Each structure stands twice: as C-alpha cells, then as structure tokens.
Amino acid sequence: MTILEKILKKKKFSKQDIIYLLSLFRKDEQDILLSYSRSIKESTVGKKVYFRGLIEYSNICVKNCYYCGIRLGNKLQERYTMPDEEVLECAKFAYEQNYGSIVIQSGERSNIRFVKKIEHLLKEMKKLSDNKLGITLSLGEQSAETYRRWFEAGAHRYLLRIETSGRELYSKYHPSNELHSYDNRVEALALIKSIGYQLGTGVMIGLPGQSIENLSNDLLFIKQLDADMVGMGPYIENEHTPMYKDKGILISKKERFDLSLRMIAVLRLMMPDINIAAATAMQTLDPVGREKAINAGANIIMPNLTPVKYRESYQLYDGKPCMDEDASKCTGCLIGRIKSTGSDIGLGEWGDSKHFIKRLKTGK
Ligand code: SAH
Ligand code: SF4
C-alpha cells in the first residue's frame, strides 16, 4: 500500500497527514485524492449540487483589507448600493428560477441605517417568496444585536471567512487596528454560531508568504470551529491594492488552483457532512474551475445574480468571470456545466448543511 493510500484509509488525519496530502504534486496522486473525496461526498451528502444566487448588494466598505479591490482606500473605485427594488427583483428571480437560496454579500458597514435596511430587505424577501427562499448573509463583522436582528428577520446562514487562521499572517494582510482585529474576527464566528445561524467560514489559498503548514492549520481551525459550511478559494491579486506589490512572490496560478482543489478534497475528507462551495475565484483561474471543484468534493455553487451594470464595481480581484452575462443566461449555462460533472441539481431545495442538522439534534 502506498503512503497516500494508507493516509486516505485513516479515520482522522494528523497535521503531518494533511501536509502530505496538500503537498501532492504528481497529477496521478492528486487525481486519486480528488476522486476519493468525491466518492466520500457522494456517499455522505449525495450527488446534488445546490444553488445560492449571489447578490453583491454594495461595494461600500469601511475596511481596508490589503488584498481586496473594494477596500475603503481604493479611491479609484466608484461606489454603489443597489436600490431596494433591484435587490428584490434579484430575489424574485432566484425564487422563480427555483434556486432555493440566495446570498447577500457586501462591503462591510455597521451603521444603524445599513442594519435596518438589511433587516427590511430580509423581511421583504421572505414575504415575496412565501417564506421559501433560504437566505445566507455575507456582510462581515457585526454586533451580537445586529446578527440577532437579521436572524429574526429571516436570514439563517452566515458566511464570514477567517481568511487565514494564523494570527501573525492575519496581521500581515490587514491593517493593525481595532477594525481589523484577529480576535474580533474569531469572536464574531462564535457569536454567529451561538445565535443559531448555520456557520460558514473559509480562507484564501496561495496568499503571499503562506505555507502548506499554514494551510493545514487553516483546515484544522475550520474543523475545530465545527463550521457547517465552507467557501474557500485562491487568492487572486488586484492591481489597486497594497498586496499587489507581492505579485512576484506568489505561487503560479496553476499551482494556486491545484492547491485549492486539494484543500477542498482534504476538507471534505475531514468534515464529510458539511457544505462546501465551489468558489467563483476557481473559475477565474480555470474556465471549468467550478466543475473541477465539484469533482473534488464541493456541493454548492453561487450563480451571480448581480445586475451587470454593477459587476465592474465589485471586483474584489482581477479577472472575475461572467462580467457581462446576465443572470438568465447564467442559469442555463450553469445547469449544463453541473450536469457535465455527473451531478444532480438540487433545484427548489435549501440544501442545508447536514452537519448543521446533526448539530441541532445533538444540541451542540
Ligand atoms: N465584506 C465581507 C464580504 C465581502 S468580501 C467580508 O469581508 O467578509 C468576500 C470575500 O472575498 C472575503 O472574505 C475574501 O476572502 C474574498 N476576497 C477579497 N479579496 C480577494 C482577493 N484578492 N482574492 C480572492 N478572494 C478575495
Ligand atoms: Fe471590505 Fe470584505 Fe473587502 Fe475587507 S474583504 S475590504 S471587509 S469587502
């Protein structure tokens, strides 16, 4: 038996095992890992891929993360917030197309006007869909009171990436002030969970100065956190950010892509019953990147519903795909793409994380 086969047979991976799996560079070995992960996915959460229609609500952000194109400090960026009618139209579209769920994502803001606006939109979305649309929020760090308010208004999943689980690395990619505190981020994750949301987190892969050991710590962090859903994908530089200067020390895009596939596969083996998203950034690096992510163990896809006129302004990183394709075209294209992977599509279903359902039953 090869070392790889021996590791794959284990019930629990040590850190060394994770490092070994993330370091596989031979295509034949990587393929063994990916197809094993896919088989574990299918026997645990099934063959269905669920949709989460993505609404990029606003690019106004009070933060200054060094990697992100819509950071406050990027003065070249024009700013927008979608009017209520447009947001609700997107939600209606998702409902009518039988997507099952949507995600509202935005730059971070926590003023009371913003909090109330989101609360209002949540209630309206629930109303227009007869309470049927599942809603995930990805609106950054907020107070317990805000998380609670939004939960009561109808959101039931919350996605907040830890970005990188190492305290030192975190401070390398963020300004050192209260607004970008590592401890606050970790605390926010605990708060989200305690309020009753399905908790989502994730990391960026291939950041400058990030090692395989760092990434193995990230996977152990996610496991320890007992997350219900994970969205992780390659870091892609944006030329209007401070981190662009580190472009020269990055691993190649191909390596970042393959490493992201291995991260998905290893995480699926470590946490077989969670939901894992095929991040849009995967498609930026490979035209069939999301399909490959599904084949490696992902089971969630996030079709972009943001009206085309705003997409140029929501460029977290360079080269985001489908910049000029409207949502109706995306649906047909995506269904074909997913079917090509041999998966089924969970249309009209929430597709909640099985891990969460189990967590609810055991009261953890
Ligand atoms: N403001 C919210 C949500 C919007 S940003 C938040 O920060 O949580 C959503 C995600 O985009 C971030 O969590 C980050 O992981 C990702 N992102 C930002 N810049 C990126 C880049 N240059 N490459 C890849 N992902 C990036
Ligand atoms: Fe703002 Fe999120 Fe970008 Fe950070 S990653 S600058 S919080 S939008």
Side-chain angles (χ1 to χ4, degrees):
M1 208 189 290
T2 63
I3 301 178
L4 172 59
E5 284 164 344
K6 260 193 213 151
I7 294 177
L8 291 182
K9 279 208 161 13
K10 289 190 183 177
K11 283 231 151 51
K12 199 172 168 203
F13 295 152
S14 67
K15 186 161 153 187
Q16 284 315 312
D17 295 333
I18 299 172
I19 291 176
Y20 186 91
L21 295 173
L22 293 180
S23 309
L24 293 175
F25 64 92
R26 269 177 39 195
K27 184 170 182 321
D28 58 333
E29 290 199 317
Q30 170 161 312
D31 286 349
I32 293 174
L33 168 68
L34 304 190
S35 66
Y36 185 61
S37 160
R38 179 177 170 144
S39 72
I40 293 296
K41 170 183 82 169
E42 292 187 352
S43 61
T44 315
V45 294
K47 267 185 132 179
K48 278 188 191 164
V49 171
Y50 299 98
F51 279 8
R52 312 279 185 247
L54 176 65
I55 304 173
E56 294 159 334
Y57 171 61
S58 171
N59 69 353
I60 300 177
C61 187
V62 296
K63 288 174 88 164
N64 251 321
C65 309
Y66 293 146
Y67 42 82
C68 177
I70 62 169
R71 61 199 297 277
L72 176 71
N74 182 4
K75 300 294 180 207
L76 293 173
Q77 183 63 66
E78 268 181 50
R79 304 287 164 171
Y80 75 88
T81 297
M82 285 171 63
D84 291 7
E85 313 77 72
E86 285 183 1
V87 179
L88 297 176
E89 240 166 65
C90 288
K92 192 155 168 265
F93 174 86
Y95 178 54
E96 286 170 352
Q97 295 277 315
N98 239 350
Y99 278 18
S101 295
I102 54 158
V103 181
I104 309 176
Q105 191 179 81
S106 163
E108 191 174 307
R109 258 185 286 171
S110 51
N111 61 66
I112 187 67
R113 235 183 109 203
F114 182 76
V115 172
K116 282 190 175 159
K117 172 65 82 185
I118 297 292
E119 186 179 35
H120 168 74
L121 288 171
L122 287 169
K123 288 183 178 160
E124 290 297 311
M125 287 175 181
K126 282 298 196 188
K127 225 188 275 168
L128 71 82
S129 69
D130 219 3
N131 263 332
K132 290 206 178 84
L133 210 49
I135 308 178
T136 307
L137 296 179
S138 172
L139 305 172
E141 289 164 47
Q142 304 289 341
S143 67
E145 158 71 12
T146 299
Y147 286 138
R148 198 167 299 117
R149 249 172 118 150
W150 290 344
F151 186 75
E152 280 161 13
H156 66 132
R157 310 183 186 111
Y158 205 103
L159 189 59
L160 185 76
R161 285 180 170 182
I162 186 69
E163 315 295 1
T164 179
S165 66
R167 183 185 290 276
E168 265 175 44
L169 273 189
Y170 193 90
S171 64
K172 211 172 132 178
Y173 309 135
H174 299 91
S176 54
N177 57 34
E178 193 55 19
L179 199 55
H180 300 82
S181 137
Y182 177 78
D183 290 327
N184 290 351
R185 193 111 183 141
V186 174
E187 207 179 297
L189 290 168
L191 262 182
I192 291 166
K193 196 182 206 182
S194 70
I195 286 164
Y197 286 97
Q198 289 174 50
L199 174 65
T201 192
V203 294
M204 284 180 284
I205 299 159
L207 287 156
Q210 185 187 43
S211 66
I212 294 285
E213 188 183 359
N214 296 139
L215 288 168
S216 70
N217 286 335
D218 288 345
L219 294 179
L220 290 165
F221 175 93
I222 294 170
K223 170 108 180 149
Q224 169 77 24
L225 182 69
D226 202 24
D228 304 299
M229 7 182 255
V230 171
M232 54 186 178
Y235 160 68
I236 302 171
E237 57 278 24
N238 177 307
E239 70 173 304
H240 303 296
T241 61
M243 256 160 72
Y244 194 68
K245 66 174 179 4
D246 299 326
K247 195 174 176 342
I249 62 162
L250 297 175
I251 55 172
S252 75
K253 289 191 170 163
K254 164 94 175 78
E255 283 173 286
R256 264 177 269 168
F257 181 79
D258 280 346
L259 187 52
S260 301
L261 288 180
R262 295 197 294 277
M263 283 285 283
I264 290 174
V266 177
L267 181 67
R268 173 60 72 195
L269 299 177
M270 291 169 69
M271 303 183 78
D273 60 356
I274 62 170
N275 278 346
I276 303 180
T280 311
M282 300 292 283
Q283 198 192 346
T284 307
L285 296 192
D286 183 320
V288 284
R290 286 182 303 185
E291 293 83 326
K292 288 183 179 170
I294 288 169
N295 282 330
N299 67 329
I300 300 287
I301 204 152
M302 294 162 66
N304 197 341
L305 299 181
T306 313
V308 171
K309 63 184 170 195
Y310 300 120
R311 294 207 193 167
E312 285 287 345
S313 302
Y314 202 84
Q315 290 254 44
L316 307 178
Y317 46 83
D318 293 340
K320 249 175 95 181
C322 296
M323 291 306 283
D324 52 5
E325 254 172 45
D326 68 30
S328 55
K329 274 200 220 126
C330 271
T331 313
C333 156
L334 261 183
I335 290 180
R337 279 164 173 262
I338 294 168
K339 286 199 170 150
S340 77
T341 66
S343 306
D344 301 325
I345 299 161
L347 283 178
E349 296 175 56
W350 277 13
D352 276 342
S353 154
K354 285 207 169 151
H355 187 80
F356 176 75
I357 296 165
K358 232 187 265 167
R359 196 154 72 71
L360 268 192
K361 281 190 190 142
T362 54
K364 272 198 221 159

